[in-house]
Structure formats: C-alpha cells, structure tokens
Amino acid sequence: HRPLVQVDNVLNPRELQILELIAENRTNGEIATMLAISEAWIDGYIENVLTKLMVSDEVEAVALGLRTGYLKRAPLLDGEQLE
C-alpha cells in the first residue's frame, strides 16, 4: 500500500472545487457551465487532479477524497439504498 495523499495539501483551490463537483456527480459540461470556463479547461484540471492524486480515474479520486476525510459522504436521500 502506498501512503494516502492528503488531498487538500496537493490540490490547488480550483482543483479541489472540481473534485467536489465530480463527487456531486456533475458532468464535465455542467462543471464548465457552473465555473464559466471551457470544457477543455475542465478536462485539463481533471487530468491534473488524477496525476497529483496518483489515481487513474475520477472514481478513484473521489474515493481517495472520502478516505482521507476531505470529502464528506452525502446523506442518503429518502428511498435510496446503500449498495
């Protein structure tokens, strides 16, 4: 096992913001619209996040954020089942 990266010590504020939006299941297009930047910039930020966190995809990045406590697990909505 490699040591866990402290997400908030590695990512800059914009990258942290994008990771939070990914964790909310936002699409790249939605994130681009919300932040008023192009989708190409979002793609670049996501690549930086993955590289800095040493993970291969967004799911792993969010999982790392949850494991390190940077991201908080959202409460289940009424009727949702934990699988």
Side-chain angles (χ1 to χ4, degrees):
H1 279 313
R2 64 177 189 253
L4 289 179
V5 174
Q6 276 308 114
V7 174
D8 54 343
N9 290 337
V10 174
L11 302 180
N12 68 41
R14 179 64 95 184
E15 293 162 346
L16 289 168
Q17 183 180 32
I18 290 171
L19 180 59
E20 290 169 348
L21 293 169
I22 291 169
E24 293 176 6
N25 206 30
R26 304 284 184 167
T27 67
N28 290 8
E30 289 172 329
I31 295 170
T33 299
M34 292 173 74
L35 302 180
I37 57 179
S38 75
E39 206 166 327
W41 275 99
I42 298 300
D43 293 341
Y45 278 117
I46 291 172
E47 280 303 312
N48 289 344
V49 167
L50 301 181
T51 299
K52 288 179 176 183
L53 296 182
M54 298 180 288
V55 296
S56 59
D57 59 34
E58 290 94 335
V59 172
E60 286 184 31
V62 170
L64 180 62
L66 289 167
R67 278 197 313 273
T68 59
Y70 176 75
L71 295 173
K72 304 296 181 223
R73 188 175 305 274
L76 292 177
L77 299 175
D78 288 339
E80 267 190 306
Q81 299 290 321
L82 189 59
E83 297 179 17

